PDB file of all heavy atoms in Angstrom:
ATOM      1  N   ARG C 214     126.081  86.831  26.893  1.00  0.00           N
ATOM      2  CA  ARG C 214     125.387  85.680  27.463  1.00  0.00           C
ATOM      3  C   ARG C 214     124.902  85.957  28.880  1.00  0.00           C
ATOM      4  O   ARG C 214     123.922  85.407  29.332  1.00  0.00           O
ATOM      5  CB  ARG C 214     126.324  84.489  27.521  1.00  0.00           C
ATOM      6  CG  ARG C 214     126.364  83.630  26.304  1.00  0.00           C
ATOM      7  CD  ARG C 214     125.205  82.638  26.405  1.00  0.00           C
ATOM      8  NE  ARG C 214     125.247  81.613  25.429  1.00  0.00           N
ATOM      9  CZ  ARG C 214     126.010  80.544  25.474  1.00  0.00           C
ATOM     10  NH1 ARG C 214     126.857  80.352  26.431  1.00  0.00           N
ATOM     11  NH2 ARG C 214     125.934  79.646  24.526  1.00  0.00           N
ATOM     12  N   LEU C 215     125.637  86.808  29.608  1.00  0.00           N
ATOM     13  CA  LEU C 215     125.329  87.076  31.007  1.00  0.00           C
ATOM     14  C   LEU C 215     124.340  88.215  31.200  1.00  0.00           C
ATOM     15  O   LEU C 215     124.019  88.565  32.324  1.00  0.00           O
ATOM     16  CB  LEU C 215     126.630  87.399  31.762  1.00  0.00           C
ATOM     17  CG  LEU C 215     127.662  86.262  31.782  1.00  0.00           C
ATOM     18  CD1 LEU C 215     128.959  86.750  32.421  1.00  0.00           C
ATOM     19  CD2 LEU C 215     127.123  85.050  32.501  1.00  0.00           C
ATOM     20  N   HIS C 216     123.854  88.808  30.118  1.00  0.00           N
ATOM     21  CA  HIS C 216     122.954  89.959  30.228  1.00  0.00           C
ATOM     22  C   HIS C 216     121.637  89.577  30.906  1.00  0.00           C
ATOM     23  O   HIS C 216     121.243  88.419  30.945  1.00  0.00           O
ATOM     24  CB  HIS C 216     122.682  90.557  28.843  1.00  0.00           C
ATOM     25  CG  HIS C 216     121.552  89.885  28.110  1.00  0.00           C
ATOM     26  ND1 HIS C 216     121.622  88.596  27.647  1.00  0.00           N
ATOM     27  CD2 HIS C 216     120.319  90.327  27.796  1.00  0.00           C
ATOM     28  CE1 HIS C 216     120.488  88.275  27.068  1.00  0.00           C
ATOM     29  NE2 HIS C 216     119.669  89.299  27.146  1.00  0.00           N
ATOM     30  N   ARG C 217     120.975  90.564  31.438  1.00  0.00           N
ATOM     31  CA  ARG C 217     119.664  90.356  32.057  1.00  0.00           C
ATOM     32  C   ARG C 217     118.615  90.918  31.107  1.00  0.00           C
ATOM     33  O   ARG C 217     118.757  92.009  30.569  1.00  0.00           O
ATOM     34  CB  ARG C 217     119.583  91.101  33.383  1.00  0.00           C
ATOM     35  CG  ARG C 217     120.626  90.654  34.366  1.00  0.00           C
ATOM     36  CD  ARG C 217     119.986  89.734  35.397  1.00  0.00           C
ATOM     37  NE  ARG C 217     120.935  89.407  36.439  1.00  0.00           N
ATOM     38  CZ  ARG C 217     121.454  88.211  36.601  1.00  0.00           C
ATOM     39  NH1 ARG C 217     121.139  87.235  35.788  1.00  0.00           N
ATOM     40  NH2 ARG C 217     122.288  87.965  37.572  1.00  0.00           N
ATOM     41  N   TYR C 218     117.558  90.171  30.918  1.00  0.00           N
ATOM     42  CA  TYR C 218     116.488  90.577  30.012  1.00  0.00           C
ATOM     43  C   TYR C 218     115.172  90.171  30.627  1.00  0.00           C
ATOM     44  O   TYR C 218     114.982  89.008  30.994  1.00  0.00           O
ATOM     45  CB  TYR C 218     116.688  89.914  28.638  1.00  0.00           C
ATOM     46  CG  TYR C 218     115.617  90.233  27.639  1.00  0.00           C
ATOM     47  CD1 TYR C 218     115.456  91.526  27.168  1.00  0.00           C
ATOM     48  CD2 TYR C 218     114.763  89.251  27.179  1.00  0.00           C
ATOM     49  CE1 TYR C 218     114.465  91.821  26.251  1.00  0.00           C
ATOM     50  CE2 TYR C 218     113.781  89.544  26.260  1.00  0.00           C
ATOM     51  CZ  TYR C 218     113.639  90.825  25.804  1.00  0.00           C
ATOM     52  OH  TYR C 218     112.650  91.125  24.898  1.00  0.00           O
ATOM     53  N   ASP C 219     114.243  91.118  30.754  1.00  0.00           N
ATOM     54  CA  ASP C 219     112.988  90.810  31.449  1.00  0.00           C
ATOM     55  C   ASP C 219     111.929  90.168  30.556  1.00  0.00           C
ATOM     56  O   ASP C 219     110.936  89.649  31.039  1.00  0.00           O
ATOM     57  CB  ASP C 219     112.422  92.041  32.133  1.00  0.00           C
ATOM     58  CG  ASP C 219     111.950  93.114  31.167  1.00  0.00           C
ATOM     59  OD1 ASP C 219     111.895  92.872  29.940  1.00  0.00           O
ATOM     60  OD2 ASP C 219     111.629  94.217  31.640  1.00  0.00           O
ATOM     61  N   GLY C 220     112.107  90.200  29.258  1.00  0.00           N
ATOM     62  CA  GLY C 220     111.191  89.531  28.348  1.00  0.00           C
ATOM     63  C   GLY C 220     109.843  90.204  28.169  1.00  0.00           C
ATOM     64  O   GLY C 220     108.936  89.623  27.587  1.00  0.00           O
ATOM     65  N   SER C 221     109.691  91.433  28.632  1.00  0.00           N
ATOM     66  CA  SER C 221     108.395  92.110  28.517  1.00  0.00           C
ATOM     67  C   SER C 221     108.145  92.662  27.117  1.00  0.00           C
ATOM     68  O   SER C 221     107.011  92.982  26.784  1.00  0.00           O
ATOM     69  CB  SER C 221     108.294  93.244  29.543  1.00  0.00           C
ATOM     70  OG  SER C 221     109.273  94.231  29.284  1.00  0.00           O
ATOM     71  N   GLU C 222     109.173  92.790  26.324  1.00  0.00           N
ATOM     72  CA  GLU C 222     109.019  93.275  24.948  1.00  0.00           C
ATOM     73  C   GLU C 222     109.193  92.107  23.985  1.00  0.00           C
ATOM     74  O   GLU C 222     109.936  91.176  24.240  1.00  0.00           O
ATOM     75  CB  GLU C 222     110.057  94.348  24.633  1.00  0.00           C
ATOM     76  CG  GLU C 222     109.881  95.614  25.438  1.00  0.00           C
ATOM     77  CD  GLU C 222     110.906  96.670  25.060  1.00  0.00           C
ATOM     78  OE1 GLU C 222     111.470  96.597  23.952  1.00  0.00           O
ATOM     79  OE2 GLU C 222     111.141  97.548  25.883  1.00  0.00           O
ATOM     80  N   ARG C 223     108.514  92.197  22.860  1.00  0.00           N
ATOM     81  CA  ARG C 223     108.651  91.162  21.832  1.00  0.00           C
ATOM     82  C   ARG C 223     109.964  91.334  21.083  1.00  0.00           C
ATOM     83  O   ARG C 223     110.388  92.449  20.810  1.00  0.00           O
ATOM     84  CB  ARG C 223     107.509  91.271  20.830  1.00  0.00           C
ATOM     85  CG  ARG C 223     106.189  90.923  21.438  1.00  0.00           C
ATOM     86  CD  ARG C 223     105.591  89.843  20.654  1.00  0.00           C
ATOM     87  NE  ARG C 223     104.522  89.250  21.422  1.00  0.00           N
ATOM     88  CZ  ARG C 223     103.896  88.197  21.010  1.00  0.00           C
ATOM     89  NH1 ARG C 223     104.211  87.669  19.870  1.00  0.00           N
ATOM     90  NH2 ARG C 223     102.957  87.671  21.726  1.00  0.00           N
ATOM     91  N   ASP C 224     110.579  90.225  20.747  1.00  0.00           N
ATOM     92  CA  ASP C 224     111.766  90.233  19.887  1.00  0.00           C
ATOM     93  C   ASP C 224     111.260  90.227  18.455  1.00  0.00           C
ATOM     94  O   ASP C 224     110.445  89.370  18.083  1.00  0.00           O
ATOM     95  CB  ASP C 224     112.621  88.993  20.139  1.00  0.00           C
ATOM     96  CG  ASP C 224     113.155  88.934  21.562  1.00  0.00           C
ATOM     97  OD1 ASP C 224     113.361  90.004  22.153  1.00  0.00           O
ATOM     98  OD2 ASP C 224     113.368  87.829  22.068  1.00  0.00           O
ATOM     99  N   VAL C 225     111.715  91.176  17.638  1.00  0.00           N
ATOM    100  CA  VAL C 225     111.219  91.280  16.267  1.00  0.00           C
ATOM    101  C   VAL C 225     112.351  91.510  15.279  1.00  0.00           C
ATOM    102  O   VAL C 225     113.398  92.037  15.615  1.00  0.00           O
ATOM    103  CB  VAL C 225     110.182  92.431  16.105  1.00  0.00           C
ATOM    104  CG1 VAL C 225     108.945  92.167  16.917  1.00  0.00           C
ATOM    105  CG2 VAL C 225     110.785  93.768  16.447  1.00  0.00           C
TER     106      VAL C 225
END
Side-chain angles (χ1 to χ4, degrees):
R214 272 276 190 79
L215 298 174
H216 86 292
R217 300 258 186 249
Y218 178 66
D219 67 9
S221 63
E222 294 182 21
R223 292 236 164 186
D224 298 330
V225 296

